[in-house]
Amino acid sequence: MPTYLSQTLRRSALGALLLAAGSLGAVQGCTDLTETPRDALTPANAFKTDQEILAGAAAVYAQLRSTQWGYYNLSEITSDEQLVPTRGSDWFDNGRWLEIYRQSWNSNSGSALEDMNGVWNDMFSGVAKANLMISVVEASNSANKEANLAELRTLRAWFYYVLMDFFGGVPLVTTTEVEPRANVSRDSIFKFIESELNAARAVLPDKPAQYGRVSKGVANAILANMYINAPVFQGTVTAGGLQRAAGRYQNAIDAADRVINSGVYSLASDYKANFAVNNETSPENIFVIANTSAPPGLGMSLQMRTLHYNQHGVQGGPWNGFAGLAETYRTYDQADVRRSVWLTGPQISFVTGQPTTDRQGAPLVFTDTIGDITKANENEGPRLLKYPPLLSAPNGDSFPNDFVYFRLAEMYLIKAEALNELGRTAEAIALVNRIRERAFEPDKPLSTGLSQAQARQAILSERLFEFAGEAKRRQDLIRMGGLPGVTLTFTGARQFKTAQSPYKVLFPIPATQLQNNPLLVQNAGY
């Protein structure tokens, strides 16, 4: 049976609805990070028990759900995994989606004012809610004060992780005082997150107290990812591009090993079980967004973005937007089970299981190519359907599959990448082959005789096959682009994409934020 938090996040959403829509949710935007509304819940009038504190924490957890829109879209469409072609009058939106894919944005363009600004506000809203709850818990007499604080500090660290990944240096706010804040360096944000997670993991439980809550595994998984990305995250971005910092490869191995050797997680025998409608049963998933179909509007909508209008009976029908690139789809080995998450060829209705048609009544057949992304046909492009649709979903934002931030497979591949960078290539490939075992029948292992440069390309490709649609690819291409042996770079030309300025490995601070806070300094190049 669901425990209290999963009931909160999945069913009644008590804390998420009451608090996010009310007192805790009343903190608005980046310039009001620390504003406390007059009707705010305070230690004087609420949060007297651990149950009440947990209900307040649910509002902080609820803020994670916002990453399934802006953070996901920008991570995917800027890379070579997915794009959003214009289909007649659908999906143009003043050129915003093509701008994201072509990397032609600036601080005042459509995608900056809509998508990037949305991520900035969503993540700082999460920081504000976490800060408010941290202040409440610090003033409480809870017997579980340290554990509650560790949980909230981990969530706040995650919101800052997203901000660091996208924008580099941002304001660092840890209190509820109201005052303008200048941005600090990206390295300072990195060190803050690192310190917070290392402190929290000493207190967090080995296993989540309830499904969906953070644990030692979550803190260690974030750290492993940060350390493998340290040359980027602790580097400097100028108008000329990224100047890398030193690697933190042994730190990455240590953090990954703490997850791998914890005994809490194991690789799912069925790859697709990690993304199923009931993927809360997966033994592999470490950090997830707990989605729900009831009440409506608290689930995911990834299925809607990719499926054709006629493929699901949800009210209004799917949106027929996102599609893959032929170059990327054709990179997969045809025997790789992970290739099946891409839909091509004749299509069925997920309601009837029977062949379906396009809007003109012709058989619906997804091509693997797109002729012109500015005027694509409704059937063009492979569709990434990693999270299968619930047939009874009441609306397009109510698919209950839990979105996975981190799972055990990534810990193996992070460790493999770090080992390879330390010159231990044979050990690295052995770990990659452990992930490949469930993807092929019969097994198709990589050669342990690969050179270090060859292994880099193999690991990057394996991450594409394993993590497509999991908002990893942009980060992977930035981290590995330009290294010896790697042929795909984040700013390099790709299908329908021309080479762009190297400083765009960071997004601009949106113009609206600069107008609201004169202490902010724009990222280099913009």
Side-chain angles (χ1 to χ4, degrees), residues 348-512:
I348 64 167
S349 162
F350 283 88
V351 177
T352 67
Q354 299 301 308
T356 192
T357 60
D358 62 21
R359 290 188 293 185
Q360 288 71 47
L364 178 63
V365 180
F366 287 153
T367 65
D368 68 353
T369 59
I370 302 173
D372 184 342
I373 62 173
T374 67
K375 49 183 178 182
N377 293 328
E378 63 185 77
N379 68 315
E380 285 190 288
R383 311 303 171 88
L384 182 60
L385 189 66
K386 199 157 199 176
Y387 292 90
L390 176 71
L391 300 187
S392 60
N395 62 34
D397 292 314
S398 298
F399 293 96
N401 321 58
D402 295 335
F403 183 83
V404 184
Y405 286 130
F406 291 111
R407 50 192 178 87
L408 185 61
E410 186 168 9
M411 299 301 103
Y412 281 112
L413 291 183
I414 285 174
K415 183 177 179 180
E417 186 176 334
L419 286 169
N420 185 55
E421 294 304 321
L422 293 177
R424 298 161 63 181
T425 300
E427 293 176 69
I429 295 302
L431 287 176
V432 176
N433 285 336
R434 184 163 183 178
I435 301 304
R436 288 174 64 87
E437 285 176 359
R438 70 175 172 190
F440 292 93
E441 182 60 46
D443 192 18
K444 295 185 73 171
L446 300 175
S447 170
T448 55
L450 296 178
S451 68
Q452 184 185 54
Q454 290 171 328
R456 284 193 187 104
Q457 183 67 55
I459 292 169
L460 178 60
S461 296
E462 202 64 34
R463 287 186 63 90
L464 168 66
F465 307 145
E466 184 70 21
F467 303 122
E470 296 182 48
K472 305 288 184 182
R473 186 67 170 171
R474 168 188 169 272
Q475 195 179 86
D476 290 351
L477 293 177
I478 293 172
R479 180 179 71 254
M480 300 185 75
L483 296 179
V486 176
T487 58
L488 301 181
T489 62
F490 176 65
T491 53
R494 196 72 172 149
Q495 191 179 23
F496 308 116
K497 192 193 297 275
T498 56
Q500 291 294 331
S501 303
Y503 61 81
K504 290 187 174 178
V505 295
L506 280 179
F507 292 115
I509 297 176
T512 48

Side-chain angles (χ1 to χ4, degrees), residues 279-412:
N279 62 337
E280 66 268 20
T281 63
S282 167
E284 183 172 332
N285 294 342
I286 302 168
F287 186 22
V288 304
I289 300 173
N291 287 313
T292 182
S293 60
L298 294 179
M300 66 161 53
S301 65
L302 300 185
Q303 300 86 340
M304 297 290 283
R305 293 171 223 179
T306 191
L307 289 176
H308 183 271
Y309 314 106
N310 294 341
Q311 284 189 281
H312 196 285
V314 70
Q315 184 177 6
W319 306 333
N320 198 44
F322 289 30
L325 282 74
E327 287 181 338
T328 299
Y329 174 70
R330 292 172 182 172
T331 303
Y332 284 75
D333 189 309
Q334 292 196 14
D336 191 335
V337 69
R338 297 168 296 189
R339 186 174 184 263
S340 65
V341 301
W342 294 93
L343 304 181
T344 59
Q347 294 302 301
I348 64 167
S349 162
F350 283 88
V351 177
T352 67
Q354 299 301 308
T356 192
T357 60
D358 62 21
R359 290 188 293 185
Q360 288 71 47
L364 178 63
V365 180
F366 287 153
T367 65
D368 68 353
T369 59
I370 302 173
D372 184 342
I373 62 173
T374 67
K375 49 183 178 182
N377 293 328
E378 63 185 77
N379 68 315
E380 285 190 288
R383 311 303 171 88
L384 182 60
L385 189 66
K386 199 157 199 176
Y387 292 90
L390 176 71
L391 300 187
S392 60
N395 62 34
D397 292 314
S398 298
F399 293 96
N401 321 58
D402 295 335
F403 183 83
V404 184
Y405 286 130
F406 291 111
R407 50 192 178 87
L408 185 61
E410 186 168 9
M411 299 301 103
Y412 281 112

